[in-house]
Amino acid sequence: MKMEGNTILITGGGSGIGRALAHRFHDLGNTVIVAGRRMQALEEAIGERPRMHAMTVDIENPDSIADFAARLLEAHPQLNVLVNNAGIMRFETLDRSRALADAEAMVDTNLLGCIRLTNALVEHLSVCDDAAIVNVSSGLAFVPITAAPTYCATKAAVHSYTVAMRAALEGQVEVIELVPPLVQTELTPGQSTRTGPQPLGDFIDEVMTLFQGQPTPAEIIVERARFQRNAEAEHRFAEAVSTLNKRDREARKTA
Ligand SMILES: NC(=O)c1ccc[n+]([C@@H]2O[C@H](COP(=O)([O-])OP(=O)(O)OC[C@H]3O[C@@H](n4cnc5c(N)ncnc54)[C@H](OP(=O)(O)O)[C@@H]3O)[C@@H](O)[C@H]2O)c1
């Protein structure tokens, strides 16, 4: 992927990983549009940066995505990179019947949001020079935790969809998967101040180094995410499920 001179849309760019990516790509000489539901968070993310822009979208809502895509291409016809980063994570219990609103919101936001927005922009991107799509999945796509089963399933689906997209768009759009491990953001309440997750700055440093590889790897996997990403290939999947779930239970007991 080209590292400068792009026009990049980052969904969920008002906080956490999206905001950190937006700042790094801006500072490398790219125009960056950050999108999310909260205009105030987006404006704070921009600060005084001259080549950043904010646009609102609710990625859970198909009508909002269609309206957003039209406004986006009108305002930024040079758009050549899409980063599908917006996401939510809710904890759930599987051992009793429950209302499924959280599960539905995660499928709509994490999976259908990525599918719908990509669908709205693919015809534009596929005729652009230097086009790229970056889908943000998770280490939990590869080894699930029992406390967040729907979240893990949406991320496994994003991984699968990304593999298919990469093959379908070969030669037209570079398709990259970014696989974060547990990182200090407010994806779940209190996560940004817990000591276990990787500090956001360290994570983004590693991510940007990997992005600058020539060619950019198809999957951006920082050191801490390798434990999950490679578990199955290294024949230690069952052990990884057990270790990760034990670690998760202990971390949340002391949180
Ligand atoms: N942090 C981790 O440990 C971790 C690990 C693996 C993967 N990830 C993934 O990394 C991505 C970024 O998460 P993060 O950790 O940076 O958490 P975060 O700070 O909570 O960021 C999530 C972003 O998504 C946006 N968003 C959520 N629902 C949306 C909607 N309906 N429409 C538009 N935007 C929406 C939020 O903006 P608004 O609220 O303003 O809409 C927010 O800026 C997510 O896909 C997450 O699953 C994170």
Side-chain angles (χ1 to χ4, degrees):
M1 181 179 143
K2 201 172 72 162
M3 281 292 112
E4 59 179 270
N6 299 297
T7 300
I8 305 175
L9 167 68
I10 303 182
T11 64
S15 65
I17 292 171
R19 183 171 65 182
L21 282 175
H23 290 171
R24 295 298 178 97
F25 275 112
H26 171 272
D27 294 350
L28 285 171
N30 298 285
T31 297
V32 181
I33 304 120
V34 284
R37 290 164 301 183
R38 294 167 298 140
M39 184 48 99
Q40 193 183 337
L42 299 171
E43 283 174 348
E44 282 169 15
I46 291 175
E48 298 300 314
R49 290 172 183 81
R51 291 178 309 283
M52 277 184 72
H53 307 274
M55 291 182 70
T56 51
V57 63
D58 180 356
I59 216 82
E60 201 178 336
N61 177 331
D63 294 338
S64 173
I65 292 175
D67 169 67
F68 168 73
R71 286 186 287 123
L72 173 72
L73 293 181
E74 197 180 327
H76 301 283
Q78 328 79 317
L79 180 88
N80 68 317
V81 179
L82 162 64
V83 182
N84 282 307
N85 165 76
I88 54 171
M89 179 174 186
R90 310 256 167 85
F91 296 111
E92 302 171 283
T93 47
L94 284 187
D95 58 355
R96 56 182 184 272
S97 183
R98 67 202 197 276
L100 290 177
D102 279 350
E104 289 164 4
M106 285 186 279
V107 172
D108 273 334
T109 304
N110 300 353
L111 177 58
L112 289 173
C114 166
I115 292 173
R116 286 174 175 140
L117 184 56
T118 304
N119 191 52
L121 297 176
V122 70
E123 290 185 16
H124 169 86
L125 292 172
S126 61
V127 295
C128 283
D129 290 337
D130 303 309
I133 297 175
V134 180
N135 288 340
V136 178
S137 66
S138 169
L140 295 177
F142 302 95
V143 178
I145 53 170
T146 56
T150 307
Y151 177 81
C152 298
T154 63
K155 293 299 185 173
V158 167
H159 166 69
S160 173
Y161 198 78
T162 306
V163 171
M165 269 174 63
R166 185 176 300 120
L169 296 176
E170 192 177 355
Q172 293 173 283
V173 182
E174 192 172 349
V175 178
I176 296 163
E177 181 176 350
L178 171 55
V179 185
L182 190 60
V183 178
Q184 285 178 337
T185 70
E186 279 302 302
L187 181 65
T188 63
Q191 187 174 317
S192 63
T193 51
R194 293 209 327 255
T195 52
Q198 182 169 24
L200 181 57
D202 293 357
F203 169 70
I204 292 296
D205 285 346
E206 268 191 83
V207 165
M208 296 312 291
T209 300
L210 292 167
F211 260 116
Q212 285 172 9
Q214 287 299 328
T216 305
E219 295 181 359
I220 304 277
I221 305 167
V222 301
E223 202 54 46
R224 284 200 191 193
R226 292 183 186 277
F227 170 74
Q228 287 149 285
R229 176 63 184 97
N230 298 335
E232 192 144 28
E234 292 170 0
H235 308 292
R236 50 177 181 76
F237 180 72
E239 180 198 326
V241 171
S242 163
T243 305
L244 192 72
N245 276 280
K246 192 162 165 246
R247 206 187 285 166
D248 176 62
R249 277 193 299 275
E250 279 163 9
R252 288 188 308 110
K253 219 186 291 167
T254 55

